[in-house]
Amino acid sequence: MLTNRSKVVVNKEMTFAEKIYIPAIVAGLMITIKHFFKKKATINFPEQQKPISEVWRGLHVLKRDEQGRENCTACGLCAVACPAEAITMTAAERKKGEEHLYREEKYAAVYEINMLRCIFCGLCEEACPKEAIFLTNRMTPSDTLRDNFIYGKDKLVEGIAPEERVDISYRARAHRKEVE
Ligand code: SF4
Ligand code: SF4
């Protein structure tokens, strides 16, 4: 014997109560009923949402300027800064007559973020010299298909109409707090 903690196991005959399992079932049900009346730790997301921190970093937005032109110039700095290699883009040159669409001479014809790779660190926002990409207080919706987590410009660029603009003043406030 290596220790004195050995325990002799006895193959004891079950009592009648143990054989019919009813006391065990009742004990299990009591635990279930007890939890039924307790305050739930879960919420019905997405219908219900928990309050989030002021420094929360959620779903990205690609911003437009006051005239509705895309700010992004496809410089690639956000992609280089991204530790998760979640950002890819294809640059294109702005053609004559497209000045109302793109602020700079170069723009992102394709801009994609793989939300399954993203760790919402915010480094893309920090790296951007054009104030084009921001993380917002919106959540990335759940989905069952991996392809649906590749967010292209259709999901990232904010709308032109005033009611379609994404408010990022919240991020600016959070950033000020981080700096202070
Ligand atoms: S938040 Fe971080 S991980 Fe996500 S795309 Fe930006 S840099 Fe990459
Ligand atoms: S979002 Fe900003 S950093 Fe990224 S490519 Fe566009 S301008 Fe460059």
PDB file of all heavy atoms in Angstrom, residues 60 78 81-87 113 117-125 135, ligand 1:
ATOM      1  N   HIS A  60     -17.916  46.962 -37.025  1.00  0.00           N
ATOM      2  CA  HIS A  60     -17.271  48.087 -37.701  1.00  0.00           C
ATOM      3  C   HIS A  60     -18.243  48.861 -38.594  1.00  0.00           C
ATOM      4  O   HIS A  60     -19.232  48.312 -39.055  1.00  0.00           O
ATOM      5  CB  HIS A  60     -16.140  47.575 -38.593  1.00  0.00           C
ATOM      6  CG  HIS A  60     -15.224  46.597 -37.950  1.00  0.00           C
ATOM      7  ND1 HIS A  60     -15.644  45.375 -37.501  1.00  0.00           N
ATOM      8  CD2 HIS A  60     -13.905  46.657 -37.683  1.00  0.00           C
ATOM      9  CE1 HIS A  60     -14.623  44.735 -36.975  1.00  0.00           C
ATOM     10  NE2 HIS A  60     -13.562  45.486 -37.064  1.00  0.00           N
ATOM     11  N   CYS A  78      -5.009  49.493 -42.221  1.00  0.00           N
ATOM     12  CA  CYS A  78      -5.822  48.733 -41.261  1.00  0.00           C
ATOM     13  C   CYS A  78      -5.537  47.233 -41.393  1.00  0.00           C
ATOM     14  O   CYS A  78      -5.451  46.516 -40.400  1.00  0.00           O
ATOM     15  CB  CYS A  78      -7.299  49.021 -41.473  1.00  0.00           C
ATOM     16  SG  CYS A  78      -7.827  48.802 -43.170  1.00  0.00           S
ATOM     17  N   ALA A  81      -2.242  46.482 -39.806  1.00  0.00           N
ATOM     18  CA  ALA A  81      -2.302  46.568 -38.336  1.00  0.00           C
ATOM     19  C   ALA A  81      -3.091  45.428 -37.717  1.00  0.00           C
ATOM     20  O   ALA A  81      -2.907  45.116 -36.543  1.00  0.00           O
ATOM     21  CB  ALA A  81      -2.937  47.895 -37.936  1.00  0.00           C
ATOM     22  N   CYS A  82      -3.941  44.796 -38.490  1.00  0.00           N
ATOM     23  CA  CYS A  82      -4.843  43.786 -37.926  1.00  0.00           C
ATOM     24  C   CYS A  82      -4.090  42.523 -37.493  1.00  0.00           C
ATOM     25  O   CYS A  82      -3.514  41.832 -38.328  1.00  0.00           O
ATOM     26  CB  CYS A  82      -5.907  43.424 -38.960  1.00  0.00           C
ATOM     27  SG  CYS A  82      -7.012  42.132 -38.375  1.00  0.00           S
ATOM     28  N   PRO A  83      -4.074  42.213 -36.210  1.00  0.00           N
ATOM     29  CA  PRO A  83      -3.327  41.041 -35.744  1.00  0.00           C
ATOM     30  C   PRO A  83      -3.979  39.722 -36.141  1.00  0.00           C
ATOM     31  O   PRO A  83      -3.341  38.682 -36.113  1.00  0.00           O
ATOM     32  CB  PRO A  83      -3.330  41.208 -34.225  1.00  0.00           C
ATOM     33  CG  PRO A  83      -4.534  42.020 -33.930  1.00  0.00           C
ATOM     34  CD  PRO A  83      -4.755  42.910 -35.108  1.00  0.00           C
ATOM     35  N   ALA A  84      -5.256  39.785 -36.507  1.00  0.00           N
ATOM     36  CA  ALA A  84      -5.978  38.552 -36.855  1.00  0.00           C
ATOM     37  C   ALA A  84      -6.009  38.308 -38.358  1.00  0.00           C
ATOM     38  O   ALA A  84      -6.573  37.318 -38.809  1.00  0.00           O
ATOM     39  CB  ALA A  84      -7.400  38.631 -36.322  1.00  0.00           C
ATOM     40  N   GLU A  85      -5.399  39.221 -39.121  1.00  0.00           N
ATOM     41  CA  GLU A  85      -5.429  39.140 -40.592  1.00  0.00           C
ATOM     42  C   GLU A  85      -6.865  38.950 -41.075  1.00  0.00           C
ATOM     43  O   GLU A  85      -7.151  38.077 -41.899  1.00  0.00           O
ATOM     44  CB  GLU A  85      -4.503  38.029 -41.102  1.00  0.00           C
ATOM     45  CG  GLU A  85      -3.058  38.287 -40.727  1.00  0.00           C
ATOM     46  CD  GLU A  85      -2.090  37.285 -41.334  1.00  0.00           C
ATOM     47  OE1 GLU A  85      -2.540  36.363 -42.008  1.00  0.00           O
ATOM     48  OE2 GLU A  85      -0.881  37.467 -41.115  1.00  0.00           O
ATOM     49  N   ALA A  86      -7.728  39.770 -40.545  1.00  0.00           N
ATOM     50  CA  ALA A  86      -9.158  39.627 -40.865  1.00  0.00           C
ATOM     51  C   ALA A  86      -9.597  40.523 -42.010  1.00  0.00           C
ATOM     52  O   ALA A  86     -10.678  40.339 -42.559  1.00  0.00           O
ATOM     53  CB  ALA A  86      -9.980  39.951 -39.615  1.00  0.00           C
ATOM     54  N   ILE A  87      -8.750  41.510 -42.372  1.00  0.00           N
ATOM     55  CA  ILE A  87      -9.181  42.508 -43.369  1.00  0.00           C
ATOM     56  C   ILE A  87      -8.502  42.250 -44.708  1.00  0.00           C
ATOM     57  O   ILE A  87      -7.290  42.039 -44.772  1.00  0.00           O
ATOM     58  CB  ILE A  87      -8.830  43.938 -42.894  1.00  0.00           C
ATOM     59  CG1 ILE A  87      -9.486  44.225 -41.540  1.00  0.00           C
ATOM     60  CG2 ILE A  87      -9.261  44.975 -43.924  1.00  0.00           C
ATOM     61  CD1 ILE A  87      -9.127  45.565 -40.939  1.00  0.00           C
ATOM     62  N   ILE A 113     -14.176  42.190 -44.133  1.00  0.00           N
ATOM     63  CA  ILE A 113     -13.687  41.798 -42.800  1.00  0.00           C
ATOM     64  C   ILE A 113     -14.294  40.441 -42.474  1.00  0.00           C
ATOM     65  O   ILE A 113     -15.512  40.256 -42.587  1.00  0.00           O
ATOM     66  CB  ILE A 113     -14.080  42.809 -41.707  1.00  0.00           C
ATOM     67  CG1 ILE A 113     -13.538  44.197 -42.042  1.00  0.00           C
ATOM     68  CG2 ILE A 113     -13.564  42.352 -40.350  1.00  0.00           C
ATOM     69  CD1 ILE A 113     -13.868  45.268 -41.013  1.00  0.00           C
ATOM     70  N   ARG A 117     -12.699  35.882 -37.678  1.00  0.00           N
ATOM     71  CA  ARG A 117     -11.308  36.067 -37.296  1.00  0.00           C
ATOM     72  C   ARG A 117     -11.131  37.266 -36.362  1.00  0.00           C
ATOM     73  O   ARG A 117     -10.244  37.279 -35.521  1.00  0.00           O
ATOM     74  CB  ARG A 117     -10.456  36.317 -38.540  1.00  0.00           C
ATOM     75  CG  ARG A 117     -10.114  35.070 -39.308  1.00  0.00           C
ATOM     76  CD  ARG A 117      -9.348  35.425 -40.548  1.00  0.00           C
ATOM     77  NE  ARG A 117      -8.717  34.239 -41.088  1.00  0.00           N
ATOM     78  CZ  ARG A 117      -7.413  34.081 -41.222  1.00  0.00           C
ATOM     79  NH1 ARG A 117      -6.605  35.036 -40.864  1.00  0.00           N
ATOM     80  NH2 ARG A 117      -6.922  32.972 -41.706  1.00  0.00           N
ATOM     81  N   CYS A 118     -11.977  38.274 -36.574  1.00  0.00           N
ATOM     82  CA  CYS A 118     -11.818  39.539 -35.840  1.00  0.00           C
ATOM     83  C   CYS A 118     -11.903  39.323 -34.327  1.00  0.00           C
ATOM     84  O   CYS A 118     -12.762  38.593 -33.839  1.00  0.00           O
ATOM     85  CB  CYS A 118     -12.903  40.511 -36.287  1.00  0.00           C
ATOM     86  SG  CYS A 118     -12.850  42.074 -35.403  1.00  0.00           S
ATOM     87  N   ILE A 119     -10.997  39.990 -33.619  1.00  0.00           N
ATOM     88  CA  ILE A 119     -11.017  39.910 -32.150  1.00  0.00           C
ATOM     89  C   ILE A 119     -11.447  41.251 -31.543  1.00  0.00           C
ATOM     90  O   ILE A 119     -11.289  41.475 -30.352  1.00  0.00           O
ATOM     91  CB  ILE A 119      -9.638  39.484 -31.593  1.00  0.00           C
ATOM     92  CG1 ILE A 119      -8.539  40.388 -32.145  1.00  0.00           C
ATOM     93  CG2 ILE A 119      -9.354  38.023 -31.899  1.00  0.00           C
ATOM     94  CD1 ILE A 119      -7.188  40.205 -31.480  1.00  0.00           C
ATOM     95  N   PHE A 120     -11.937  42.153 -32.395  1.00  0.00           N
ATOM     96  CA  PHE A 120     -12.483  43.448 -31.967  1.00  0.00           C
ATOM     97  C   PHE A 120     -11.500  44.212 -31.074  1.00  0.00           C
ATOM     98  O   PHE A 120     -11.873  44.766 -30.052  1.00  0.00           O
ATOM     99  CB  PHE A 120     -13.847  43.255 -31.281  1.00  0.00           C
ATOM    100  CG  PHE A 120     -14.848  42.637 -32.224  1.00  0.00           C
ATOM    101  CD1 PHE A 120     -15.036  41.254 -32.244  1.00  0.00           C
ATOM    102  CD2 PHE A 120     -15.542  43.412 -33.121  1.00  0.00           C
ATOM    103  CE1 PHE A 120     -15.922  40.673 -33.141  1.00  0.00           C
ATOM    104  CE2 PHE A 120     -16.424  42.835 -34.023  1.00  0.00           C
ATOM    105  CZ  PHE A 120     -16.623  41.479 -34.028  1.00  0.00           C
ATOM    106  N   CYS A 121     -10.237  44.200 -31.516  1.00  0.00           N
ATOM    107  CA  CYS A 121      -9.194  44.882 -30.747  1.00  0.00           C
ATOM    108  C   CYS A 121      -9.187  46.386 -31.015  1.00  0.00           C
ATOM    109  O   CYS A 121      -8.693  47.161 -30.204  1.00  0.00           O
ATOM    110  CB  CYS A 121      -7.824  44.296 -31.083  1.00  0.00           C
ATOM    111  SG  CYS A 121      -7.385  44.491 -32.820  1.00  0.00           S
ATOM    112  N   GLY A 122      -9.693  46.793 -32.177  1.00  0.00           N
ATOM    113  CA  GLY A 122      -9.747  48.218 -32.508  1.00  0.00           C
ATOM    114  C   GLY A 122      -8.484  48.763 -33.144  1.00  0.00           C
ATOM    115  O   GLY A 122      -8.378  49.968 -33.380  1.00  0.00           O
ATOM    116  N   LEU A 123      -7.506  47.901 -33.452  1.00  0.00           N
ATOM    117  CA  LEU A 123      -6.255  48.408 -34.027  1.00  0.00           C
ATOM    118  C   LEU A 123      -6.464  48.956 -35.441  1.00  0.00           C
ATOM    119  O   LEU A 123      -5.742  49.852 -35.869  1.00  0.00           O
ATOM    120  CB  LEU A 123      -5.186  47.306 -34.037  1.00  0.00           C
ATOM    121  CG  LEU A 123      -4.612  46.948 -32.662  1.00  0.00           C
ATOM    122  CD1 LEU A 123      -3.590  45.846 -32.766  1.00  0.00           C
ATOM    123  CD2 LEU A 123      -3.990  48.171 -32.000  1.00  0.00           C
ATOM    124  N   CYS A 124      -7.443  48.427 -36.177  1.00  0.00           N
ATOM    125  CA  CYS A 124      -7.727  48.957 -37.516  1.00  0.00           C
ATOM    126  C   CYS A 124      -8.173  50.413 -37.403  1.00  0.00           C
ATOM    127  O   CYS A 124      -7.749  51.271 -38.182  1.00  0.00           O
ATOM    128  CB  CYS A 124      -8.772  48.102 -38.223  1.00  0.00           C
ATOM    129  SG  CYS A 124     -10.219  47.750 -37.224  1.00  0.00           S
ATOM    130  N   GLU A 125      -8.998  50.689 -36.415  1.00  0.00           N
ATOM    131  CA  GLU A 125      -9.487  52.052 -36.193  1.00  0.00           C
ATOM    132  C   GLU A 125      -8.319  52.981 -35.835  1.00  0.00           C
ATOM    133  O   GLU A 125      -8.224  54.092 -36.340  1.00  0.00           O
ATOM    134  CB  GLU A 125     -10.517  52.009 -35.052  1.00  0.00           C
ATOM    135  CG  GLU A 125     -11.103  53.334 -34.682  1.00  0.00           C
ATOM    136  CD  GLU A 125     -12.035  53.212 -33.475  1.00  0.00           C
ATOM    137  OE1 GLU A 125     -13.008  52.465 -33.553  1.00  0.00           O
ATOM    138  OE2 GLU A 125     -11.756  53.857 -32.451  1.00  0.00           O
ATOM    139  N   LEU A 135     -15.065  51.206 -34.896  1.00  0.00           N
ATOM    140  CA  LEU A 135     -15.836  50.133 -34.279  1.00  0.00           C
ATOM    141  C   LEU A 135     -17.002  50.784 -33.545  1.00  0.00           C
ATOM    142  O   LEU A 135     -16.823  51.835 -32.923  1.00  0.00           O
ATOM    143  CB  LEU A 135     -14.980  49.310 -33.320  1.00  0.00           C
ATOM    144  CG  LEU A 135     -14.127  48.230 -34.017  1.00  0.00           C
ATOM    145  CD1 LEU A 135     -12.950  48.834 -34.748  1.00  0.00           C
ATOM    146  CD2 LEU A 135     -13.654  47.193 -33.047  1.00  0.00           C
TER     147      LEU A 135
HETATM  148  S1  SF4 B   1     -10.833  45.012 -34.677  1.00  0.00           S
HETATM  149 FE1  SF4 B   1      -8.769  44.129 -34.588  1.00  0.00          FE
HETATM  150  S2  SF4 B   1      -9.025  42.047 -35.272  1.00  0.00           S
HETATM  151 FE2  SF4 B   1     -10.878  43.113 -35.879  1.00  0.00          FE
HETATM  152  S3  SF4 B   1     -10.493  43.781 -37.974  1.00  0.00           S
HETATM  153 FE3  SF4 B   1      -9.861  45.458 -36.627  1.00  0.00          FE
HETATM  154  S4  SF4 B   1      -7.669  45.142 -36.255  1.00  0.00           S
HETATM  155 FE4  SF4 B   1      -8.519  43.227 -37.069  1.00  0.00          FE
END
